[in-house]
Amino acid sequence: MQSDPESAPGALAPRSGSALAEHSGVPLGGGAGLFDHSARDPISPSAGMWAGIGALALTVLIAGWLFGMNPAFGNGKANGTANQLGQPAAASGTALQPGTPAFEGSQIIATKPCTGCHTIPGIPGATGTVGPNLAGIASRPKIAGGAVANNGPDDLMKWIADPAALKPGTPMPKVPLTEDELTKIVAFLETLK
């Protein structure tokens, strides 16, 4: 116990003249009932600081180890594969000539719910991620997760016209399309090689 409350250590300002301080002989700091206990803390402030720095360093080391162990970073596919990423419109195939069935199909597909589920190269706003990316669909031997053969436009037409008939339980809905719309959409999809 210190007799002079003005010389008490600690960050809190000692209070003199308090009945409690005079009775107990311990200076109060900060407010009624608050004593300066910093000298009796089980962990010093510097130990807490070093523990925090150590935890940050350990986090950085573990993150680096996880980054190094991920094979996608080593083989350059960390940003996705060609089947997962949309291609720019110029890379989506030949330039579509206005008035062609493929051009009209690109205009039709942009107005259908397809764009909400699929990323479709060359179609503004078609950035859906629920269904597969349609980049390169014309050159895939299988579609619908490998369940349906894709040997040409007729197979794509059958799939789009009634997905559940070819793959029961598929989440792809049957979108009402006229025969003309379906033909033009498939003509457009056939340009995505």
Side-chain angles (χ1 to χ4, degrees):
M1 304 284 171
Q2 295 180 354
S3 59
D4 183 13
E6 294 297 323
S7 65
L12 300 175
R15 295 179 57 181
S16 60
S18 168
L20 182 60
E22 292 172 5
H23 176 63
S24 66
V26 177
L28 293 176
L34 296 177
F35 295 98
D36 183 13
H37 294 280
S38 62
R40 292 181 280 181
D41 285 345
I43 299 174
S44 71
S46 63
M49 178 190 70
W50 286 111
I53 290 172
L56 286 173
L58 182 62
T59 301
V60 168
L61 287 174
I62 291 173
W65 178 75
L66 289 172
F67 182 85
M69 295 300 292
N70 188 341
F73 292 108
N75 63 20
K77 294 184 179 176
N79 291 330
T81 64
N83 286 340
Q84 297 167 330
L85 300 174
Q87 298 175 357
S92 66
T94 59
L96 301 176
Q97 298 298 322
T100 63
F103 179 81
E104 291 175 13
S106 71
Q107 302 298 305
I108 294 167
I109 201 167
T111 65
K112 300 298 177 182
C114 314
T115 59
C117 294
H118 298 282
T119 296
I120 308 170
I123 305 299
T127 57
T129 58
V130 175
N133 187 322
L134 299 185
I137 186 135
S139 58
R140 294 181 198 163
K142 297 271 188 183
I143 55 175
V148 177
N150 184 23
N151 297 315
D154 290 338
D155 288 340
L156 274 176
M157 265 192 228
K158 288 177 193 171
W159 169 248
I160 295 168
D162 193 0
L166 298 177
K167 184 181 178 185
T170 183
M172 182 162 161
K174 182 176 181 178
V175 177
L177 299 167
T178 66
E179 190 70 29
D180 184 54
E181 288 175 327
L182 181 59
T183 302
K184 289 175 179 176
I185 287 173
V186 169
F188 165 71
L189 293 176
E190 283 293 312
T191 67
L192 303 178
K193 297 185 187 268

